[in-house]
Amino acid sequence: MDQNYNPKEVEQIAQSYWQEHNTFQAQDDSKKPKYYCLSMFPYPSGNLHMGHVRNYAIGDVIARHQRMLGKNVLHPIGWDAFGLPAENAALKHNVPPAEWTDKNIANMKAQFLQLGFSFDWSREIATCKPEYYRWEQWFFTQLFAKGLVYRKNSIVNWDPVDQTVLANEQVINGRGWRSGALVERKEIPQWFLKITAYADELLADLDALPGWPEQVKTMQRNWIGRSVGINISFKIANEPHILQVYTSRPDTIMGVTFMAIAAEHPLATHAAKNNPKLQQFIAECQQGTTAEADLATMEKLGMDTGLKAINPLDGTQIPIWIANYVLSEYGSGAIMAVPAHDERDWEFAKKYNLPIKQVITPSDGSSIDVEQAVYTEPGLVINSGKYNGADFNSAFNAVLQDLQLLHAGTEQVNYRLRDWGVSRQRYWGAPIPIIYCDSCGAVPVPAKDLPVVLPLNVTITGAGSPLKKMPEFCNTTCPNCGKAAQRETDTFDTFIESSWYYARYACPDQNEAMLDQRANYWTPVDQYIGGIEHAILHLLYSRFFHKAMRDMGLVKSNEPFTNLLTQGTVLKDGSKMSKSVGNTVDPLDLIEKYGADTVRLFIMFAAPPEQSLEWSDAAVDGAYRFLKRLWNTVQQHVSTGIVELKPDYNKQEFNTAQKALRYKLHSTLGKVSDDYERRFTFNTAIAANMELLNAVNSLNGDGVLDQQIRQEALNLIILMLSPITPHITHALWHALGNKTAVIDEPWPKVDHSALQQDTVNMVVQINGKVRANIEVGVDVAKHELEQLAQQNENVQKHLVGKSIKKIIIVPRKLLNIVVEEQE
RNA sequence: GCCUGGGUGGCGAAAUUGGUAGACGCAAGGGACUUAAAAUCCCUCGGUAGCAAUACCAUGCCGGUUCGAUUCCGGCCCCAGGCACCA
């Protein structure tokens, strides 16, 4: 073996070995149990960044470890290739998005190979290829046939200068990123998938996902936001209209002091008909973005329409206001405002001097002042006539019953979750397979005519989709009646592609169907790994797609991802490492300097996967030094000749130091196995191996037994580190005289005979403060232990003038003497 | 604004089920080797006092439960992720 660690050479050899042996090509049939390990696929932005390295390093470590546990592992990779950045690059560099994307994919693939990830490249997918997106076009037409697709108007960010729809990201401080024009909200017709039809199942099945982080499940539960309430119809004084509102707090209905409707509400339009002031106010409300964060932090503005709603329960007249904090896309776009018991209503009422009427009082009898502070907790009803004294549930039922008798209310389950708008007014996406016919309306493209191929040679101008200007794309005939017709020019939301790619990896070469039986062998994904930023949207859409595919007979399971690991963000100087912030560190520079193993080791060592990771250039040195130390230790060990371990090697008589090292070795193996398998705390697994190597290096003595123990320890360290640093361990495994390739080795087993101990160290506390450490026999009797503890000099010092109240013993760990001052 | 996390030495972190706070590593300081440097190896390293043994303080802030709290509970502050057209 080489005297010095040369990462380039070592990594080249290992990578060639894997390639020659097709090591990572997954087999669709095997006697071993299957294990599907998937890291979220990347957007091909051109270069790997540290977030990628972290994501794929975690996945790679898990995949390699599972392989060692004897599983038939699938570890695929592909490209989430449609998206906005390709159009931006096209604008900037005058290169077609497809060309830019293909180049980036080639680039990043080379980088992946350099990092030594155990991907099965034979299943590589790029979502921008017709062979892929044709199947989601097909799936969309199937959903259409099942009534799960519909078209309705919905609001987008509109740049009035560029005459184009903007993504939220393209709106900077309320202005278009290129034109600088104030952005407007504009309604246009768009296609929707009925994800709300699955809302209850998406919610309920979260309980069937014990392998998901509680945090993610909580976020999804709140996002779905199921509530039970009442749909109430308010008549309007001197008008034929009805105002529908939904409330989850019918117990507060007698506290309604105004109604608030969105600017887009039909009643707002009606009220403004002969009222220029209202018209102007509505126009003002339509400025700004569609982002909820903006709407929620905006200064609350409102204007009285002059219309009055009538409370069906007591006939009171309630003013109807247009308010900019009411979302037109949520519920009916109107609310009954109870300022005493709703935060936003309270703020609005304070601003416009609207009455605040308390109708709930805390059930513990404490008193509140709703003029000073809002009270949103449920409690007991007051100031509400016949409902006084009722708690939430009885008030809910009483109000519901009364409203039902008046035909003015029905119980309703409501969701915060909205249907999924999938239309994008962009070029670089999968065309939505719809044809508009003057006679037949919107007609889905028949399966035999799929895919609707996206034309590739286009010029991006930044003002609307180039597809609109391509008659050869737009002009077609109606599949129903054969008359001239127009194609839809909008493309799919790119979340569509990422909602089912995990299943396609099972059968990427299938040209006759979306999925085949192999998808049922491999799915669900056993371990899914990705950024916490995907906790809601991507993961919810994928769950929805999986259930929809199940209902179409394409898969059999209910959920796509059995276990989920959400990795934290890679930060530098306290903020997310990203191109836009300009604080990126190029992984390639580090690979060049230290090699892939050091980069992998560092990123796994710096923090546990779920935590955010603060990048440090300096600390990478430490990882490199450790690998050099490992190399040198092995080098030194084998320089005196290779040591062979006989099967009964562990039955020999070891001295104290040797016993201690073997104890350390096998307790470390136990700990590291647990870190890999259950905890996913690879940082502590690495730390434990560093400690172990330190211990190996401090074992003095060069007798035969010492050499054998060193051999055993180094073998095990190599195996334990092999999923994290696969290249150097490939080389060192051979150097230690092993004939096999380390990639084919099983995970090692703990030798329990090495864990036998005669004595154990125990802490002695007095009133919870550590006063001594004592070494006692493992089987020491309780009273003897108590005596030994009290005999300790320092303990005795602290017992002077005290009387012992009791002694608490935690076996093999500590003993706490509880004392008090003597009378 | 709303939802979800997080806050421990100069820095990244560890403490797994309420049981020794700071493992492991980085940085820093000192030393060995060297003509010198790099590399490597050894020692010190939360704060205060002390030669030391040791004592007191210390896990964002305030309070509580407990023999014992980084860990559990209540309130507050700050930071991060998400908020439906970034992916």
Side-chain angles (χ1 to χ4, degrees):
Chain A
M1 94 184 264
D2 285 348
Q3 184 110 22
N4 294 314
Y5 172 42
N6 179 346
K8 267 209 185 115
E9 196 179 306
V10 162
E11 289 173 9
Q12 180 58 53
I13 291 171
Q15 285 168 14
S16 306
Y17 179 91
W18 302 327
Q19 199 166 9
E20 274 162 34
H21 291 78
N22 277 329
T23 305
F24 305 123
Q25 202 164 316
Q27 303 304 312
D28 290 324
D29 57 284
S30 166
K31 289 204 176 81
K32 300 177 189 172
K34 72 98 182 176
Y35 190 91
Y36 185 177
C37 178
L38 182 65
S39 291
M40 291 177 186
F41 65 169
Y43 177 80
S45 57
N47 283 295
L48 288 187
H49 56 67
M50 280 303 161
H52 290 129
V53 175
R54 190 179 198 195
N55 190 202
Y56 303 108
I58 294 167
D60 197 47
V61 169
I62 294 173
R64 285 172 180 271
H65 174 247
Q66 286 295 326
R67 184 189 170 91
M68 293 179 86
L69 294 179
K71 305 283 177 57
N72 181 33
V73 173
L74 171 60
H75 186 212
I77 186 70
W79 312 96
D80 189 13
F82 277 136
L84 202 51
E87 293 192 31
N88 297 342
L91 261 176
K92 205 170 159 190
H93 302 118
N94 198 27
V95 51
E99 200 184 309
W100 183 83
T101 303
D102 284 346
K103 214 180 88 200
N104 288 347
I105 288 175
N107 228 350
M108 288 171 80
K109 180 170 179 176
Q111 297 173 3
F112 271 142
L113 288 169
Q114 277 195 64
L115 279 158
F117 295 136
S118 61
F119 293 135
D120 178 354
W121 285 100
S122 71
R123 295 170 190 255
E124 183 181 358
I125 282 171
T127 59
C128 61
K129 305 296 176 194
E131 311 89 77
Y132 182 81
Y133 66 70
R134 71 175 291 186
W135 296 113
E136 68 195 32
Q137 290 177 334
W138 172 81
F139 191 65
F140 178 84
T141 63
Q142 299 302 299
L143 291 174
F144 190 102
K146 288 186 80 173
L148 289 168
V149 172
Y150 66 98
R151 200 170 184 233
K152 72 162 184 190
N153 279 353
S154 141
I155 298 173
V156 293
N157 300 312
W158 180 252
D159 185 321
V161 170
D162 275 350
Q163 292 283 300
T164 193
V165 176
L166 297 178
N168 284 333
E169 194 191 45
Q170 298 173 312
V171 180
I172 320 270
N173 296 328
R175 290 172 182 276
W177 66 325
R178 300 181 72 229
S179 69
L182 278 174
V183 167
E184 294 166 7
R185 283 195 282 268
K186 187 182 169 185
E187 273 199 357
I188 58 170
Q190 310 207 62
W191 289 100
F192 284 80
L193 300 189
K194 267 192 202 166
I195 189 174
T196 52
Y198 285 83
D200 265 325
E201 199 192 339
L202 287 166
L203 181 66
D205 282 0
L206 288 171
D207 294 331
L209 290 172
W212 279 41
E214 276 310 318
Q215 175 193 5
V216 174
K217 289 190 278 187
T218 308
M219 282 193 268
Q220 291 213 352
R221 274 184 202 108
N222 292 336
W223 184 262
I224 295 168
R226 184 182 196 271
S227 65
V228 180
I230 303 183
N231 245 344
I232 307 177
S233 307
F234 288 80
K235 287 187 176 144
I236 295 173
N238 311 316
E239 291 277 349
H241 300 88
I242 298 281
L243 181 59
Q244 287 273 354
V245 304
Y246 170 83
T247 179
S248 58
R249 289 295 301 275
D251 56 322
T252 65
I253 187 165
M254 305 312 284
V256 176
T257 59
F258 63 99
M259 311 294 284
I261 61 176
E264 292 86 1
H265 196 279
L267 208 55
T269 320
H270 173 72
K273 216 174 270 168
N274 299 310
N275 186 335
K277 269 193 175 170
L278 271 182
Q279 282 167 18
Q280 202 195 330
F281 179 68
I282 290 171
E284 273 169 34
C285 284
Q286 279 162 347
Q287 274 191 0
T289 80
T290 60
E292 197 184 319
D294 292 340
L295 293 167
T297 48
M298 246 174 355
E299 191 195 350
K300 289 188 176 45
L301 294 175
M303 192 174 272
D304 194 344
T305 60
L307 299 171
K308 307 277 186 217
I310 299 166
N311 186 335
L313 294 176
D314 67 355
T316 356
Q317 296 209 350
I318 309 156
I320 301 177
W321 284 62
I322 298 173
N324 67 349
Y325 71 94
V326 179
L327 301 175
S328 72
E329 309 219 319
Y330 181 54
S332 59
I335 58 158
M336 61 174 225
V338 185
H341 307 294
D342 180 278
E343 219 149 310
R344 289 170 308 169
D345 299 347
W346 188 86
E347 243 183 80
F348 191 85
K350 277 282 168 195
K351 172 156 183 175
Y352 290 102
N353 272 321
L354 293 158
I356 299 173
K357 180 185 172 192
Q358 183 185 353
V359 290
I360 300 291
T361 191
S363 29
D364 63 8
S366 57
S367 80
I368 54 165
D369 179 1
V370 295
E371 286 297 333
Q372 294 307 309
V374 66
Y375 183 78
T376 57
E377 302 294 309
L380 299 176
V381 175
I382 57 166
N383 299 333
S384 301
K386 62 186 276 205
Y387 307 111
N388 284 349
D391 62 11
F392 176 84
N393 282 328
S394 43
F396 186 109
N397 290 328
V399 168
L400 175 62
Q401 211 167 39
D402 291 347
L403 288 172
Q404 278 170 337
L405 285 173
L406 296 162
H407 300 287
T410 48
E411 183 167 2
Q412 194 181 319
V413 173
N414 207 47
Y415 300 94
R416 207 189 75 95
L417 178 71
R418 306 198 290 261
D419 277 335
W420 179 7
V422 297
S423 296
R424 295 293 179 271
Q425 297 70 44
R426 295 194 207 302
Y427 158 74
W428 189 234
I432 298 178
I434 291 284
I435 291 166
Y436 298 104
C437 168
D438 286 341
S439 315
C440 308
V443 182
V445 176
K448 67 174 174 53
D449 296 336
L450 292 175
V452 178
V453 176
L454 184 72
L456 296 186
N457 288 316
V458 295
T459 310
I460 306 286
T461 62
S465 169
L467 295 181
K468 283 198 189 301
K469 297 167 212 150
M470 300 177 85
E472 67 273 28
F473 177 82
C474 298
N475 295 341
T476 184
T477 51
C478 173
N480 267 358
C481 67
K483 280 192 222 148
Q486 294 286 306
R487 277 193 200 285
E488 169 70 81
T489 55
D490 283 357
T491 54
F492 279 138
D493 178 3
T494 57
F495 274 123
I496 296 261
E497 282 90 59
S498 54
S499 290
W500 68 285
Y501 76 108
Y502 62 90
R504 183 68 182 178
Y505 280 134
C507 48
D509 54 357
Q510 176 54 263
N511 288 320
E512 307 297 319
M514 185 177 189
L515 300 175
D516 62 29
Q517 273 317 301
R518 291 174 289 175
N520 271 324
Y521 172 68
W522 287 113
T523 65
V525 173
D526 293 277
Q527 184 66 56
Y528 197 35
I529 305 126
I532 184 65
E533 67 271 20
H534 296 293
I536 296 175
L537 293 180
H538 162 60
L539 289 167
L540 194 63
Y541 291 146
S542 301
R543 295 182 60 221
F544 161 57
F545 248 63
H546 197 82
K547 289 173 192 302
M549 290 194 293
R550 174 203 61 196
D551 291 346
M552 241 166 248
L554 292 164
V555 290
K556 291 198 175 107
S557 45
N558 292 321
E559 287 285 336
F561 314 119
T562 308
N563 295 291
L564 175 68
L565 193 148
T566 47
Q567 70 173 55
T569 323
V570 178
L571 308 169
K572 199 186 173 201
D573 309 322
S575 64
K576 184 174 176 168
M577 221 187 237
S578 75
K579 249 188 184 165
S580 53
V581 183
N583 58 350
T584 52
V585 172
D586 191 344
L588 277 193
D589 295 345
L590 291 170
I591 297 171
E592 186 59 34
K593 189 169 171 197
Y594 299 104
D597 278 338
T598 294
V599 177
R600 297 170 56 124
L601 181 68
F602 170 72
I603 207 139
M604 300 305 287
F605 180 57
E610 305 212 301
Q611 216 161 300
S612 64
L613 186 154
E614 182 68 40
W615 182 264
S616 152
D617 289 316
V620 181
D621 266 327
Y624 187 53
R625 274 204 285 271
F626 170 71
L627 292 182
K628 278 196 287 189
R629 210 153 52 233
L630 179 63
W631 184 277
N632 293 340
T633 305
V634 171
Q635 212 269 333
Q636 208 166 30
H637 171 68
V638 300
S639 66
T640 55
I642 288 189
V643 180
E644 229 181 296
L645 295 181
K646 301 247 162 58
D648 58 353
Y649 137 81
N650 62 349
K651 305 260 176 358
Q652 300 173 87
E653 278 294 320
F654 298 107
N655 67 29
T656 312
Q658 293 164 344
K659 258 190 209 163
L661 183 55
R662 289 203 78 233
Y663 177 83
K664 176 105 188 155
L665 175 58
H666 285 277
S667 56
T668 299
L669 175 56
K671 184 231 170 6
V672 169
S673 304
D674 187 46
D675 283 350
Y676 266 101
E677 220 169 325
R678 180 179 63 87
R679 299 210 305 151
F680 292 142
T681 49
F682 307 107
N683 56 329
T684 54
I686 293 164
N689 272 291
M690 288 174 167
E691 261 187 82
L692 183 54
L693 184 67
N694 291 342
V696 170
N697 280 324
S698 27
L699 179 73
N700 298 314
D702 44 16
V704 178
L705 278 186
D706 297 308
Q707 285 292 70
Q708 290 185 352
I709 289 172
R710 271 191 207 101
Q711 178 77 24
E712 184 193 19
L714 289 171
N715 272 341
L716 286 182
I717 291 174
I718 298 304
L719 290 173
M720 284 190 275
L721 289 176
S722 68
I724 296 168
T725 54
H727 310 91
I728 190 175
T729 49
H730 177 88
L732 293 179
W733 183 250
H734 286 313
L736 283 165
N738 298 293
K739 299 286 179 279
T740 53
V742 73
I743 184 67
D744 296 322
E745 283 300 303
W747 188 255
K749 288 194 168 61
V750 173
D751 178 355
H752 291 279
S753 72
L755 297 180
Q756 308 284 326
Q757 273 186 307
D758 304 330
T759 62
V760 65
N761 189 274
M762 286 186 74
V763 161
V764 184
Q765 296 182 336
I766 294 172
N767 285 352
K769 291 200 178 211
V770 179
R771 299 301 178 191
N773 265 276
I774 56 173
E775 190 80 11
V776 298
V778 282
D779 300 323
V780 67
K782 189 177 166 237
H783 65 277
E784 202 182 330
L785 176 62
E786 291 179 356
Q787 272 182 5
L788 282 169
Q790 289 170 60
Q791 277 160 19
N792 179 281
E793 204 183 324
N794 201 42
V795 171
Q796 285 192 349
K797 234 167 67 187
H798 286 273
L799 289 177
V800 172
K802 309 276 165 59
S803 64
I804 296 176
K805 264 176 75 185
K806 61 174 164 177
I807 299 179
I808 289 156
I809 295 176
V810 182
R812 294 188 176 215
K813 253 189 192 142
L814 68 71
L815 176 152
N816 188 15
I817 305 172
V818 184
V819 300
E820 60 184 15
E821 293 293 332
Q822 238 158 22
E823 307 278 313

